[in-house]
Structures are given as C-alpha cells and as structure tokens.
Amino acid sequence: MSVSDPLLKQLKALILEFRLSEVAVNDKNEKLQTLCDIIEKIFRKGLKQNGGWFSKTDYWCWISKSVYDAVNDRVNPIFVMVTNIVNESKKVCTLQGKGRLFIRCALVKKVLSVAVELLRKDQRLTDIWYDSEYSILGNEILSEIFISLLFEITEIKFLLNLKNASFLDETWNLPVYKEYELVPCDDIGMTVQYLSGRTLVISVVPGSVAEEDGKVGCGDVLDELFDISLRNANKSKVQQILRQNRGWPIRLSVNKCLKDNHIYGPIEELLTLANLQRDQIKIEPKRSPASSDEETDFFRPVAEKGRKPAHALLPGDYSDEIPVHGPEQKAFYPVLFIAEVYVGNKGGQKEILDVIGQNMVNYPGKQQPFLLQLGETEVLVMTRDKKQVVYRHCYTEISSCGRRLDTMKIFAYICGETTCSIAQNFKCHIFEAESIDDAKIILCAIGQGFHRTTFYV
C-alpha cells in the first residue's frame, strides 16, 4: 500500500487552513463539517464488519471498547470521561450517532489521538478491527501520520455546543440550537406531537410564554426540558417534567425548524409526517437596525443602543453583549405604575393577560411615575427621587411575569405574600415602560432573577 492517502492529504490541508486562520472553530464554521467527515471516513476506511449477521460494526465499537481493553494501563482520564459522556447520552441512539458525538467531544477536549494510540498499542486489536491492506489505522506508517495530524488538531481551539447532538444519528449538518429560560407558568402555550423519537411543536398559542419574541415556533423540535433529554420521550414525559418542576423558571432547549431561513432537512421530514404545511412555518424577516432615538432620561444607564444589561442576557443571547449597570450592579428604569390587582390563589401567566386587559379600560387615569430597580435578589419600586420605596419584592416571591402582544410597553408581574411555591394570596402589579425594548429587558431580568436567587435561599 502507498505511504500516502488522499484522506490524509485532505486532512492536512484543512488543518493548515484552520491553523493559519488563528480563530476558534465554532458550529458556524463552514469547514467544521468537512473536518468531521474526513476524520469519520478515516475511521471507517478498511474497518472490518465483526458484528455478525444481525448487527453492523462502526468505529464507535472499538473506541468504546478500547477503554476496557486498556484497563491495566494508565488511560487518559479525559478520554475516559468523553467515552462515558457518549455512552450515557440519551440524544444519540445509533453507532453512527455515538461515534459522531465522540468526534465532536474529542475535538473540544483534545483527545482524538488518544483513541488511535490505544488501538495502535495492541496489534492484535488492530488486526481484529482493521484490514491492514485497505485501512489507514491498520497500516503502521499511515496510522503514525494520522496520529501526528491529530496532534496538530490539538492546537486548534474548538468551541462546539455539545448539547446539540440529537440529529447526529442522521447527519453532520446540525440545526440551530437555542436555549431559553421562561418565566414560571402552568401553561407554556404550545402543542406537541411525538414523531420518530422527536417532540415536534405543531402549534403555539399567540401571546403565550413560548411564543413571545419568537422563542418557540411551529416546526421546532423540543430537545431538552429542565436539562432532561426529550429524545424518544413518551407522550406524558413533557407534562410529567413540568409537574415535577412547577413554580420554577422553565429551562427549555430547542432545535429550530429554520436554518439560514430554510427548513432544516431532517425536520422537514417530520413536518411531512405531521401533515404540517410550509405556510405554517414562520419565516423570520431580516431585522432592521436598532432605532436611533436619543436616550435622554438620566435614570437609565446607557451604553450602545440596542444592547442589553448583563442581568437580562438569556442563554440564547450572544455572549458579546455589553453589560450596562449602575454603580452598585443594579439597573434602574423609569416606569408608570398602573394598578395593583388581587388575583387570589393563582399566579400564572393567564392571570397577567387577563388583568392587563381588564385594566386597560381605566388605564389613562391611573398613571403614577416611579423608578423600578432590578437588583440581584429583588425588585424595588420607588419614587423618582429614590427617597421612598413603594414595593419590595424578592424574586422568590414572584410567580410569573409577562405582557400582552397588543400592548407591548405594558408589563406586569405577580407575587405572593411569601415564596411563590407555597403562597396562597397573589397580587398583580402592572406598569408601563418607556419603550417596548425596556419592557422586554425588564421581563428578561426578572426571569433571570428567578434562577439567580436559588443561590441565595
């Protein structure tokens, strides 16, 4: 066999390209999929089928087995950790999916070469798994070249979202992956259908928590709920998880239906099975630049237009947002107080929508100017001169917050007389923000507050 191979040449050229660019490789990198595909082809080239008549062998078989075969040797603990992560993952169900998840994890943790080195240390195992004439890993010279290239790969920084793994069984081309934290509520506002082991969103209620700002849309696939994988979930799984975590902010991960404004291929197949039409999928228009209106109110700390303060950032937001805080790590927003309404023993999202709608009738006569302060553990409502605190509500007392789509500047939050999970009497506090963006940021901040205060109580 020749001491060169086209796959190794392609891999070497690609590594050189990555090294010259000197930038971290993330999931948006156009060359990432090519790199993973080449590595997979090298792993599969000359691989013997040792699975018998009823099962197919893939490279993950020997990678996972190499940990146990080398039990008497000192195996790299990070490599062991990576193989355990793949073995325990509920998101990949096939040998192909597990192998691909391993490659992505190993790129991030820089242990791809460890697997090949373990294989090459035992010639007997190498002969069991690979044909020495047609493979790269079964050839002494080519495998050494491959290992040297894998060492070069460790010099490249990979920033990959390893949670985005549920479609690796089918393809290297992964969907857009979003993580959200929604306010506590009894009804997220969407209907799902279980198809081919996926939890497909087939409808979203307008004005619901899920629909706000386009977080979840028709055709999206729910991937995780409270960090629990929904791959191959049964029909009662979602409701069961929500009941177990009632009263807590809802942590949700979603495989988006759209990628580059086109329907993602594997999800399109699910839409066909669900009899959903293309016109039911909302194509997002390109966003226009942020408004250039001048900021004049000195109460509001200002940085770049359109930026969010750090307390308002959600997992789905970009990490390069610029923090905008007051001198004591607090944020202040001028608001108009509209009403305080007793809502009984229910403090969910539905009550907010109903109360805001009812109070819009007499709304113009009930405006009181206040200053709303968002702290680390509480929300304060005070006079504009900051001399008197009118309301003080800890995040643990707030059961829900939100706004209606027909009055986007109007927002409200509901709080109980004690921690919201055990409170029996709830009041809804309604305000008007200076802008739609301010209302959104305030609601995001309160939502983040739910999570932060778990470290204080």
Side-chain angles (χ1 to χ4, degrees):
M1 185 176 182
S2 171
V3 291
S4 64
D5 186 277
L7 288 174
L8 293 177
K9 291 180 179 178
Q10 293 175 38
L11 181 60
K12 182 178 181 180
L14 198 55
I15 293 173
L16 180 61
E17 188 175 337
F18 281 132
R19 292 291 301 275
L20 291 175
S21 67
E22 297 183 348
V23 296
V25 179
N26 58 29
D27 287 308
K28 295 181 180 180
N29 192 294
E30 297 178 353
K31 300 291 184 179
L32 173 65
Q33 185 176 331
T34 304
L35 174 68
C36 294
D37 188 54
I38 291 173
I39 294 172
E40 182 175 65
K41 286 178 179 178
I42 291 174
F43 280 149
R44 282 179 173 165
K45 187 170 185 177
L47 182 66
K48 294 179 180 179
Q49 293 300 317
N50 298 322
W53 291 99
F54 302 104
S55 61
K56 184 179 180 181
T57 299
D58 208 348
Y59 57 94
W60 171 247
C61 297
W62 68 261
I63 292 175
S64 59
K65 195 172 184 297
S66 64
V67 177
Y68 306 102
D69 288 339
V71 69
N72 295 323
D73 298 328
R74 296 180 63 182
V75 183
N76 186 312
I78 299 178
F79 173 73
V80 176
M81 179 194 70
V82 169
T83 55
N84 288 338
I85 288 174
V86 176
N87 274 320
E88 295 168 5
S89 175
K90 305 296 184 184
K91 297 185 179 184
V92 284
C93 307
T94 65
L95 292 177
Q96 174 168 277
K98 290 179 181 296
R100 289 175 171 178
L101 179 57
F102 168 79
I103 289 176
R104 284 172 58 85
C105 290
L107 286 173
V108 173
K109 299 299 183 181
K110 305 182 185 300
V111 292
L112 259 180
S113 61
V114 176
V116 182
E117 288 178 299
L118 287 174
L119 181 72
R120 292 300 304 160
K121 282 182 180 180
D122 192 330
Q123 187 60 45
R124 181 185 61 86
L125 288 177
T126 304
D127 293 339
I128 289 174
W129 291 105
Y130 284 96
D131 188 307
S132 60
E133 184 176 354
Y134 298 105
S135 69
I136 291 175
L137 294 183
N139 181 281
E140 184 176 356
I141 297 176
L142 294 180
S143 62
E144 289 298 325
I145 296 174
F146 182 45
I147 290 175
S148 68
L149 291 175
L150 294 181
F151 280 132
E152 288 291 323
I153 289 179
T154 61
E155 299 298 320
I156 304 169
K157 186 176 183 179
F158 289 89
L159 300 176
L160 311 181
N161 187 345
L162 300 179
K163 296 179 71 174
N164 189 2
S166 293
F167 285 92
L168 286 173
D169 286 335
E170 295 96 330
T171 177
W172 278 116
N173 179 26
L174 297 178
V176 174
Y177 194 83
K178 293 290 186 180
E179 299 176 67
Y180 300 112
E181 188 171 281
L182 311 179
V183 296
C185 59
D186 294 328
D187 186 4
I188 301 178
M190 59 186 173
T191 303
V192 300
Q193 185 173 347
Y194 299 88
L195 294 166
S196 303
R198 320 281 186 188
T199 306
L200 179 70
V201 178
I202 59 174
S203 66
V204 180
V205 178
S208 64
V209 172
E211 194 269 348
E212 185 181 12
D213 301 322
K215 289 185 175 67
V216 182
C218 179
D220 292 346
V221 172
L222 303 187
D223 188 65
E224 285 186 359
L225 188 59
F226 287 99
D227 300 321
I228 299 174
S229 173
L230 298 179
R231 183 75 193 275
N232 292 319
N234 58 45
K235 294 185 177 181
S236 61
K237 188 71 172 180
V238 172
Q239 292 299 327
Q240 178 185 351
I241 296 173
L242 288 174
R243 283 196 299 269
Q244 292 173 345
N245 294 275
R246 186 176 182 182
W248 291 96
I250 298 171
R251 300 193 305 277
L252 187 68
S253 299
V254 180
N255 294 122
K256 300 299 292 181
C257 176
L258 297 178
K259 184 175 184 179
D260 299 325
N261 232 24
H262 294 85
I263 298 177
Y264 175 64
I267 290 183
E268 188 169 17
E269 297 176 9
L270 297 177
L271 299 179
T272 302
L273 292 174
N275 294 319
L276 288 177
Q277 303 301 318
R278 285 176 173 269
D279 56 6
Q280 294 179 256
I281 308 302
K282 182 180 180 181
I283 307 295
E284 293 292 338
K286 292 184 178 179
R287 294 185 178 181
S288 58
S291 172
S292 59
D293 293 341
E294 293 184 0
E295 302 283 355
T296 56
D297 196 322
F298 73 93
F299 289 116
R300 180 179 178 184
V302 178
E304 292 186 46
K305 302 293 188 294
R307 293 287 185 176
K308 297 180 183 179
H311 59 266
L313 292 177
L314 295 175
D317 294 320
Y318 292 106
S319 60
D320 61 350
E321 293 285 354
I322 297 176
V324 185
H325 278 95
E328 300 176 350
Q329 292 299 303
K330 300 172 183 177
F332 299 88
Y333 293 89
V335 295
L336 294 177
F337 176 69
I338 298 175
E340 176 189 65
V341 181
Y342 178 72
V343 293
N345 62 356
K346 293 182 180 180
Q349 187 79 9
K350 183 178 182 299
E351 280 65 42
I352 286 180
L353 301 178
D354 292 343
V355 170
I356 291 179
Q358 293 167 6
N359 281 269
M360 287 305 96
V361 177
N362 299 318
Y363 155 63
K366 294 189 176 183
Q367 302 178 32
Q368 297 181 55
F370 285 131
L371 190 65
L372 188 143
Q373 174 183 307
L374 300 168
E376 283 294 313
T377 61
E378 61 187 358
V379 176
L380 295 179
V381 180
M382 62 186 72
T383 56
R384 289 288 178 99
D385 58 10
K386 301 184 183 180
K387 293 182 178 180
Q388 180 183 357
V389 175
V390 182
Y391 295 109
R392 181 190 298 270
H393 298 130
C394 294
Y395 290 121
T396 52
E397 298 172 347
I398 300 176
S399 61
S400 62
C401 61
R403 59 181 175 176
R404 291 169 59 106
L405 291 180
D406 54 351
T407 53
M408 297 288 279
K409 290 169 61 176
I410 309 298
F411 69 94
Y413 63 82
I414 294 179
C415 60
E417 78 280 9
T418 182
T419 302
C420 61
S421 58
I422 60 175
Q424 295 298 316
N425 298 288
F426 292 91
K427 292 181 180 180
C428 182
H429 298 79
I430 311 172
F431 302 87
E432 179 184 7
E434 286 199 331
S435 67
I436 293 176
D437 286 340
D438 273 8
K440 176 181 176 180
I441 291 173
I442 292 169
L443 291 174
C444 287
I446 294 174
Q448 285 292 85
F450 294 144
H451 177 68
R452 283 200 308 275
T453 47
T454 61
F455 297 99
Y456 290 90
V457 298

